[in-house]
Amino acid sequence: MSGANRIPGAGRLTPAKTARFTFDGKTYTALEGDTAASALLANGVHLVGRSFKYHRPRGILSSGAEEPNALLDISRDSARRQPNVRASVQEVFDGMKVQSQNRWPSLSFDIGGINNLLSPFLAAGFYYKTFMWPRAAWARVYEPMIRRAAGLGTSPTEADPDHYASRFAHCDVLVVGGGIAGLSAALAAAEAGAKVMLCDEQATAGGALHFDASVRIDGVDGYDWAQCVVARLKAMPNVEVLTRTTAFGYYNHNFVALAERVTDHMAHPGKKLPRERLIQVRAKRVILATGAIERHMVFPNNDRPGIMLASAAREYLNHYGVAVGARIGVYTAHDSAYEAAFDLKKAGVSVAAIVDCRTRPGEAVLAEARRLGIEVLAGHAVIDTSGKLRVSSMTVARNGGGANRKIAIDALLMSAGWTPSVHMFSQSRGKLRFDAEGQRFLPGTYAQDCLSIGACNGTDGLQQTIEEALAAGELMARATGANGEGKILLSGEQAFEWTGGMVGAAEGAGPDTSAKAFVDFQHDVCAKDIRLAVREGMHSIEHIKRFTTNGMASDQGKLSNMHGLAIAAEVLDRDIPQVGLTTFRAPYTPVTYGTLVGHSRGDHFDPARKTPMHGWEEAHGAIFEDVGNWKRAWFYPRAGETMHQAVNRECRTVREVAGIFDASTLGKIEVVGPDAAEFLNLIYTNAWDTLKPGRCRYGIMLREDGFVYDDGVVGRLAEDRFHVTTTTGGAPRVMHHMEDYLQTEFPHLKVWLTSTTEQWAVIAVQGPKAREIIEPFVEGIDLSNAAFPHMSVAEGKFCGVPTRLFRMSFTGDLGYEINVPADYAKSVLEQVWARAETLGACAYGTETMHILRAEKGYIIVGQDTDGTVTPDDAGLNWAVSKKKTDFVGIRGLKRPDLVKQGRKQLVGLITKDPTIVLEEGAQIVADPNEPKPMTMLGHVTSAYWSENCGRSIAFALVAGGRERMGKTLYVPMPDKTITVEVTDMVFFDKEGGRIHG
Amino acid sequence: MRPSDISAISDEAFEEFFFLRDNPKGLIFERWRHMHGCGRFFNAARDTVSDKFLQTYKAGEPKPDIDATVVTNAPVETYEATEGDAR
């Protein structure tokens, strides 16, 4: 038994295939293919939630993606839990756990219901005028209260264990929507030979055929025809059919994003399948067959459980076999609602009356109603309803006033007409036009290679829809070059041609009323709220929308936009198209984050880059720090050492004996070609033609505006070959910068650039014993001071493998950087370390590297510079060639602001109290007693405790710094002011002799 | 294009070259790079309202002759225009 309201013989589900689920702890039986909504209705459950603001009891309003009320918490297990799921979209799977939301302690008795009594104080925008006094209450009372009240569902607390997949697809024709129009178009396009993709958001294709059982196509029942077409399409090699797949975003160049729900309907999905799949489609042509969405009627108390869209009730009957009530009422402005009443009546459900606000309903449906013995009250309105947790009556009156009549009902079907779904068309940046006669927005002019067909194009009538679709399918297919022979002909019959429709507030909800006539159900926005917004001065539709929050919930105004617009237009006394529509934005319906993220999570979100020596460093106790995506050894603490102790030991050891350091992360670029030197001349400030093969030089690179962009040592291996190095963080940036100039500004130069950052591993050996350590391993290179002075490079062998050996130093002590192909790094390092360790050397990390270079006045681009520092500011004017006639930045350097007096210049700072280490970023002032705001002269860029100097050291950018040598300045901190003296940037070995050892 | 005698140009000319850009509603000529592919730089004529690429051409080639009126009269709306009168 799958519910007392299931009518035997009705619907398309199989009675034998049952599934059990719980709702708020109670177990129910459903049928395979049921949605949570149809299953609950089958079991007589209408009350499924409490509204957002007023906590009014709410039921199921629709049978589709537009559902604003029936938002449920669905879970498989404690980790697989999703809030705010539309009951009309979620298919039931055996074992599904469903919970209602936004109520306490229970759905039927909810304390929040008091909000409904307080509603006069909670009108639209009330929070703009409240929660202001007293100010102190904001942090401790108002904010916590609002946070608890906000939202409907509660977030899951466990990590999502499911995985999500991603696909890219190219096709000739993408058809969005698998109803009558979409299926016809797909068929025509496929038979014309195009590569076709067809997607539909529902579990089975058919669109309106799910509810409209009176349609016949080619003599066959409409829905059955649809399934046959799907089978036929799936059998064609040039067609892909995707169901449970929503096209949620239309981007430029016919790029459409689809979200396919793979396992949410399955009882036991298993681990292999992704939960959802993102399919990014680039289509040559797009056909939009997105249909239309029925509107509700705006009248007082139109939100009670049991009050729903007419086509929804019809779908619950014809597709799911469920009667939504025993005695139904209908309130309509459109003929289509009559067919819902007819189908229910024929299924044995009592129809109390059809209330039609039009004085002249369609002739055909009127006749049929009479024939079936259904009372029709034309020219009447439903002006109120009653019933607390379920609708129990409707109050009917003649238009314009008159005696009321209260009619007992347990369900009320409403239809104000159909709104063409132009969301995707709008997202494609097409221009809408307003069809005044139909009171609807339709596709106007297209911005992309796209066509709309069927209800979303305003095409009424079955045969017209079919013909329009077939023509469009063939047209688009041929436009992509398809030349298949197949031709499709179809003919359809429908029972009634529909007329009617209205937008805006119905009788009883007009400007002279204050009843709660809901426009936006999910955000509890009533007709009177929209009028209030206009009275408050909101005259543009965007302001009205944001003031009232109409259309801003997860249903994105699918039911409420047109009504809200019409009500606003009436109050503003303007035409609807003049008031305008708010922007349609992707996603069309909510998309799970997992689907968008795909595999970019955890370790894949931000991949960690490791050098080939990472494992060795780890094994030797290194603590790592992140430098961009790289993991770099920060320091190597020995047993019982704090970071300070480890770093101090490393600093001392390097200068007393030697240290081993991994410099592999720095960027390396191989610059090769007859014009290599000329190219580097243009990119750097230095002159490279004077650099002989076998020698290295420190180069600085500027931006065109004259500011320091990157730096690094460049070695010349031959006339036409340079080994360029960059900072770790700057490597990709510099490569891009060089390629930009080479390809677009200097394409005549014969030079090629290759990134070799990951190809060379770099082992730095620095300190007095550096030569002693590496000597036994070097082959083919004379390491004597005379033959291989500081800033040399040579090729040879190291530990038997090819090497580029650099004699260069970032510590200021005798130093080498051994470049070996990355695959050899680990074994080379092990051999070097074995020897180094016995000689008393240590491994050192980036912290020590920072301190030692600072002791010697070496800058770090990006730390001591920030993109606003010129070479002169940094004391590097010596590196700027005065002879070259052109290089990147040459003109920028001459700009008035860059040559003026008083610019911030890099200087050293020593604290009066040598034990105080300044804070990087701290501001510097001349007069510590100056009232605020103080004149800030600059800031501290680098600051360390220097074990080798026995005191703290620092660099700073200070206005007119070099003229302040020897002067006293101050660094104001929150708890004290620190006195400093401006000094030279070299703190250790001022003569610089150690590097030439 | 970067002036070939860039070191000699005036402050105004340098400002013009480096800092000032037109931001047209409609046809624009720009430099692009195929970052996730071949890494080559190229040029494109693009409509800034619809994002439609009208034509691409190699780095260094001169700007193609494109009827600007065709582009700016194209049936595409900015978001502002679609949202009606914001008075």
Side-chain angles (χ1 to χ4, degrees):
Chain A
M1 273 296 97
S2 62
N5 294 32
R6 196 88 62 175
I7 297 183
R12 303 186 182 101
L13 308 184
T14 309
K17 294 190 177 164
T18 59
R20 282 158 73 77
F21 71 100
T22 64
F23 175 56
D24 280 356
K26 191 163 164 204
T27 306
Y28 295 96
T29 305
L31 294 180
E32 271 183 31
D34 258 333
T35 58
S38 64
L40 286 168
L41 289 169
N43 285 278
V45 178
H46 277 257
L47 174 65
V48 292
R50 290 277 179 162
S51 72
F52 178 51
K53 192 165 58 166
Y54 300 131
H55 282 250
R56 289 168 69 96
R58 288 286 168 80
I60 295 159
L61 192 77
S62 75
S63 61
E66 65 272 19
E67 179 59 44
N69 276 339
L71 302 179
L72 305 170
D73 183 297
I74 308 284
S75 63
R76 264 184 209 283
D77 51 45
S78 65
R80 291 175 176 83
R81 183 166 83 71
Q82 184 149 330
N84 300 337
V85 177
R86 291 153 291 162
S88 49
V89 168
Q90 174 66 43
E91 292 170 71
V92 175
F93 58 86
D94 195 51
M96 180 168 90
K97 261 189 70 181
V98 182
Q99 298 275 333
S100 58
Q101 303 179 143
N102 202 39
R103 79 293 181 272
W104 189 84
S106 76
L107 202 43
S108 47
F109 179 71
D110 172 36
I111 300 274
I114 197 161
N115 282 6
N116 203 25
L117 300 171
L118 297 172
S119 62
F121 304 106
L122 300 175
F126 77 93
Y127 37 77
Y128 293 120
K129 304 175 182 180
T130 52
F131 304 123
M132 290 183 208
W133 181 88
R135 279 185 88 93
W138 178 254
R140 272 175 301 124
V141 179
Y142 298 142
E143 188 183 343
M145 193 178 86
I146 292 168
R147 280 191 186 279
R148 262 199 306 274
L152 285 168
T154 56
S155 298
T157 50
E158 295 183 35
D160 185 350
D162 290 322
H163 69 275
Y164 300 79
S166 173
R167 256 185 73 196
F168 290 89
H170 291 81
C171 65
D172 293 332
V173 182
L174 170 67
V175 180
V176 178
I180 296 167
L183 287 168
S184 304
L187 204 50
E191 284 289 340
K195 187 173 169 203
V196 176
M197 282 180 79
L198 170 68
C199 66
D200 190 278
E201 64 183 354
Q202 297 201 64
T204 54
L209 294 165
H210 283 83
F211 67 79
D212 195 337
S214 72
V215 167
R216 294 185 78 72
I217 300 178
D218 276 359
V220 166
D221 167 77
Y223 183 85
D224 292 340
W225 169 85
Q227 307 319 305
C228 284
V229 172
V230 167
R232 180 173 167 188
L233 287 168
K234 281 185 172 172
M236 295 174 80
N238 54 325
V239 183
E240 186 176 2
V241 178
L242 295 157
T243 52
R244 295 190 178 92
T245 302
T246 305
F248 66 83
Y250 197 144
Y251 307 96
N252 56 51
H253 296 88
N254 271 0
F255 184 79
V256 182
L258 316 178
E260 179 186 3
R261 288 173 297 285
V262 181
T263 65
D264 273 350
H265 62 287
M266 296 179 180
H268 307 288
K271 285 213 170 73
K272 284 201 176 151
L273 288 173
R275 180 174 167 227
E276 290 196 19
R277 193 177 280 120
L278 173 67
I279 304 167
Q280 297 176 79
V281 181
R282 182 81 68 181
K284 291 195 184 134
R285 297 289 186 280
V286 174
I287 296 178
L288 298 173
T290 47
I293 297 175
E294 193 169 33
R295 291 189 293 278
H296 61 287
M297 292 292 286
V298 179
F299 60 96
N301 291 309
N302 59 342
D303 68 324
R304 302 192 197 280
I307 303 179
M308 66 174 66
L309 296 171
S311 63
R314 201 174 171 204
E315 181 158 345
Y316 287 122
L317 175 69
N318 290 334
H319 191 76
Y320 299 98
V322 174
V324 299
R327 186 172 159 74
I328 62 146
V330 178
Y331 183 26
T332 185
H334 193 266
D335 288 346
S336 59
Y338 284 71
E339 289 210 49
F342 300 159
D343 288 353
L344 281 159
K345 176 95 194 207
K346 287 186 223 163
V349 175
S350 165
V351 179
I354 296 177
V355 180
D356 196 322
C357 65
R358 302 169 291 169
T359 39
R360 284 201 201 305
E363 289 288 324
V365 293
L366 252 186
E368 180 69 5
R370 218 171 288 130
R371 194 182 73 78
L372 289 172
I374 299 174
E375 182 180 7
V376 176
L377 295 161
H380 278 66
V382 174
I383 57 168
D384 202 356
T385 65
S386 71
K388 201 165 154 277
L389 301 180
R390 175 80 181 264
V391 65
S392 59
S393 79
M394 59 178 178
T395 304
V396 182
R398 191 176 291 282
N399 283 350
N404 290 0
R405 181 178 151 197
K406 204 165 169 185
I407 303 176
I409 50 168
D410 66 353
L412 176 56
L413 278 41
M414 44 183 187
S415 180
W418 295 79
T419 308
S421 293
V422 294
H423 313 73
M424 294 303 279
F425 169 80
S426 287
Q427 286 185 33
S428 79
R429 312 303 301 280
K431 184 175 173 172
L432 290 169
R433 65 174 177 87
F434 187 66
D435 166 22
E437 200 200 309
Q439 293 277 282
R440 54 193 179 174
F441 284 95
L442 293 174
T445 18
Y446 288 80
Q448 305 209 37
D449 291 322
C450 168
L451 273 180
S452 299
I453 56 175
C456 75
N457 195 32
T459 303
D460 306 312
L462 178 59
Q463 194 57 34
Q464 286 120 290
T465 297
I466 291 173
E467 266 151 40
E468 180 185 45
L470 293 174
E474 185 173 356
L475 176 74
M476 293 309 231
R478 303 245 176 261
T480 68
N483 52 12
E485 299 288 303
K487 183 99 181 153
I488 304 289
L489 294 163
L490 293 168
S491 80
E493 314 150 36
Q494 63 185 139
F496 303 95
E497 294 244 349
W498 296 333
T499 66
M502 69 163 289
V503 276
E507 182 97 1
D512 50 332
T513 66
S514 63
K516 284 204 184 78
F518 288 89
V519 176
D520 183 321
F521 291 95
Q522 199 177 148
H523 270 179
D524 271 347
V525 179
C526 302
K528 63 188 172 89
D529 292 322
I530 295 173
R531 294 184 199 111
L532 170 66
V534 175
R535 280 204 304 282
E536 292 274 357
M538 312 294 147
H539 290 176
S540 81
I541 194 63
E542 302 122 299
H543 288 153
I544 294 168
K545 172 182 176 175
R546 283 157 182 80
F547 184 87
T548 60
T549 74
N550 189 56
M552 290 177 70
S554 65
D555 58 284
Q556 289 288 287
K558 288 178 177 63
L559 296 173
S560 60
N561 271 351
M562 287 307 296
H563 284 316
L565 180 49
I567 294 167
E570 185 186 13
V571 182
L572 290 166
D573 196 22
R574 277 198 239 148
D575 289 332
I576 284 178
Q578 278 182 303
V579 181
L581 268 180
T582 53
T583 306
F584 290 93
R585 294 195 166 97
Y588 169 67
T589 46
V591 177
T592 308
Y593 272 120
T595 309
L596 298 171
V597 163
H599 299 293
S600 298
R601 359 166 356 180
D603 287 341
H604 292 143
F605 176 70
D606 206 12
R609 293 177 81 177
K610 297 177 181 173
T611 75
M613 297 178 273
H614 186 92
W616 184 95
E617 291 159 16
E618 231 179 348
H620 284 77
I623 305 292
F624 291 87
E625 66 160 348
D626 292 335
V627 182
N629 278 116
W630 289 101
K631 296 287 182 196
R632 300 199 72 182
W634 194 16
F635 59 98
Y636 292 80
R638 291 191 180 154
E641 276 186 329
T642 62
M643 178 177 173
H644 259 331
Q645 289 166 334
V647 170
N648 289 346
R649 173 184 47 77
E650 289 173 17
C651 286
R652 275 196 316 268
T653 309
V654 173
R655 295 221 189 274
E656 284 167 15
V657 183
I660 314 290
F661 175 75
D662 181 357
S664 305
T665 63
L666 277 75
K668 300 163 212 76
I669 303 173
E670 191 85 346
V671 180
V672 185
D675 297 329
E678 189 181 339
F679 176 68
L680 292 180
N681 270 357
L682 286 163
I683 293 294
Y684 286 89
T685 61
N686 324 56
W688 297 96
D689 14 28
T690 56
L691 186 68
K692 305 250 180 307
R695 300 288 298 149
C696 306
R697 184 169 292 165
Y698 170 70
I700 352 172
M701 187 182 296
L702 308 180
R703 282 203 315 258
E704 208 67 80
D705 57 2
F707 295 122
V708 174
Y709 187 64
D710 206 78
D711 68 350
V713 170
V714 177
R716 188 170 202 169
L717 289 136
E719 277 302 304
D720 63 350
R721 184 176 294 267
F722 290 83
H723 178 120
V724 165
T725 68
T726 74
T727 59
T728 294
R733 198 163 34 84
V734 167
M735 186 72 185
H736 177 87
H737 174 87
M738 286 184 167
E739 283 286 359
D740 189 351
Y741 277 95
L742 180 55
Q743 289 184 40
T744 67
E745 300 288 354
F746 313 130
H748 57 284
L749 294 179
K750 288 199 181 59
V751 56
W752 295 268
L753 312 175
T754 311
S755 165
T756 53
T757 305
E758 293 180 331
Q759 278 60 39
W760 293 110
V762 183
I763 300 166
V765 183
Q766 305 273 318
K769 289 204 174 165
R771 187 186 287 108
E772 197 182 331
I773 290 169
I774 70 169
E775 203 141 34
F777 304 112
V778 178
E779 257 180 275
I781 304 174
D782 179 353
L783 286 182
S784 69
N785 230 354
F788 206 60
H790 176 59
M791 294 300 248
S792 302
V793 58
E795 291 178 292
K797 287 233 162 78
F798 194 93
C799 293
V801 310
T803 187
R804 279 190 187 166
L805 182 66
F806 288 79
R807 179 167 166 190
M808 56 192 255
S809 167
F810 201 44
T811 58
D813 262 278
L814 167 65
Y816 298 88
E817 289 195 2
I818 309 154
N819 284 234
V820 291
D823 289 341
Y824 295 119
K826 184 162 171 282
S827 68
V828 167
L829 176 59
E830 278 166 356
Q831 295 178 66
V832 171
W833 172 249
R835 178 162 169 78
E837 194 181 17
T838 57
L839 290 172
C842 71
Y844 70 97
T846 51
E847 188 70 18
T848 295
M849 177 268 288
H850 273 117
I851 297 172
L852 297 179
R853 63 92 199 179
E855 287 172 356
K856 293 298 297 172
Y858 300 151
I859 66 161
I860 287 180
V861 169
Q863 174 153 338
D864 304 300
T865 72
D866 61 3
T868 68
V869 174
T870 67
D872 183 68
D873 295 340
L876 295 170
N877 225 7
W878 56 265
V880 181
S881 161
K882 310 294 180 282
K883 292 216 189 87
K884 290 198 295 187
T885 55
D886 194 8
F887 58 86
V888 174
I890 192 173
R891 184 56 186 82
L893 279 179
K894 297 190 217 169
R895 294 186 293 142
D897 233 45
L898 271 69
V899 298
K900 72 175 185 196
Q901 288 297 308
R903 282 186 62 82
K904 289 183 188 166
Q905 297 166 331
L906 266 179
V907 292
L909 290 181
I910 47 175
T911 48
K912 189 159 168 209
D913 176 349
T915 63
I916 300 181
V917 178
L918 294 169
E919 196 173 312
E920 286 171 4
Q923 296 295 312
I924 300 160
V925 302
D927 174 8
N929 301 312
E930 187 185 356
K932 292 191 188 113
M934 303 172 95
T935 312
M936 289 168 282
L937 300 177
H939 68 281
V940 176
T941 63
S942 296
Y944 312 100
W945 169 256
S946 164
E947 187 71 357
N948 289 311
C949 298
R951 56 150 306 116
S952 71
I953 59 174
F955 293 166
L957 278 164
V958 178
R962 290 199 287 271
E963 296 201 343
R964 295 181 196 263
M965 276 304 151
K967 298 275 194 299
T968 298
L969 294 175
Y970 304 89
V971 177
M973 298 298 288
D975 53 338
K976 61 177 180 282
T977 298
I978 305 171
T979 310
V980 297
E981 184 190 313
V982 179
T983 67
D984 185 57
M985 282 166 70
V986 182
F987 301 95
F988 184 84
D989 175 35
K990 285 192 185 282
E991 306 76 42
R994 296 172 69 102
I995 208 165
H996 297 293
Chain B
M1 277 297 292
R2 184 177 186 268
S4 51
D5 60 341
I6 194 172
S7 66
I9 66 180
S10 67
D11 281 336
E12 289 73 31
F14 181 77
E15 179 194 37
E16 178 79 34
F17 158 70
F18 190 74
F19 293 106
L20 300 179
R21 262 138 237 259
D22 286 332
N23 188 19
K25 175 177 171 178
L27 180 63
I28 193 172
F29 295 93
E30 334 173 278
R31 175 178 300 173
W32 283 74
R33 187 180 189 197
H34 192 193
M35 287 297 300
H36 297 291
C38 61
R40 299 302 296 176
F41 284 80
F42 64 97
N43 296 311
R46 178 176 69 93
D47 171 33
T48 60
V49 178
S50 68
D51 280 336
K52 195 177 177 108
F53 276 78
L54 301 159
Q55 197 177 329
T56 58
Y57 53 106
K58 289 195 171 141
E61 280 176 7
K63 286 181 191 170
D65 222 332
I66 294 178
D67 185 357
T69 59
V70 166
V71 172
T72 53
N73 290 338
V76 161
E77 291 301 308
T78 56
Y79 288 124
E80 295 70 35
T82 53
E83 287 188 350
D85 253 316
R87 216 178 294 132

